[in-house]
Amino acid sequence: MDTFAEDRSFDEVQSLLHYAHFIPRTRGFTTQHVDTHWPGHTFNGLVELFTSAGLLTLVSPLGALIHESGGVQEGNDLTNFRRILFNDMIEWAVEWPDGSWTKPPL
């Protein structure tokens, strides 16, 4: 697991997704948060990563995040995981509360 550049906790991801709503996105608060706390990344790129990792399934036109369970997420409720390690959208690993890991298919 030492080969990953990023190691982010559930709380860090949940904090980011707090900015998923269209109001902070249209007022520049989302970009400011990403630039400060996730340097080198974009909000859309991170959402794509979280989607690839199975934490989210899509983003609605209004900016609400929708989890695979079908529930609408607006940064206040996210699938419970311990952390996500990643280099990019292709190289990632998710640690779940039971200690198990999910990695992308080879």
Side-chain angles (χ1 to χ4, degrees), residues 46-100:
L46 290 166
V47 167
E48 192 172 342
L49 165 68
F50 302 147
T51 301
S52 176
L55 304 177
L56 303 169
T57 54
L58 72 103
V59 178
S60 76
L62 297 178
L65 302 174
I66 301 174
H67 180 260
E68 61 190 11
S69 67
V72 175
Q73 314 298 317
E74 292 184 325
N76 298 319
D77 188 18
L78 181 67
T79 298
N80 192 19
F81 64 95
R82 283 190 185 162
R83 62 187 176 147
I84 182 169
L85 308 173
F86 63 94
N87 291 325
D88 53 38
M89 193 176 69
I90 298 170
E91 295 179 306
W92 53 264
V94 175
E95 183 180 13
W96 301 99
D98 66 1
S100 65

Side-chain angles (χ1 to χ4, degrees), residues 9-25:
S9 70
F10 171 86
D11 290 337
E12 288 174 294
V13 174
Q14 188 169 18
S15 177
L16 170 68
L17 296 180
H18 175 76
Y19 292 88
H21 191 269
F22 74 93
I23 293 172
R25 290 182 71 192

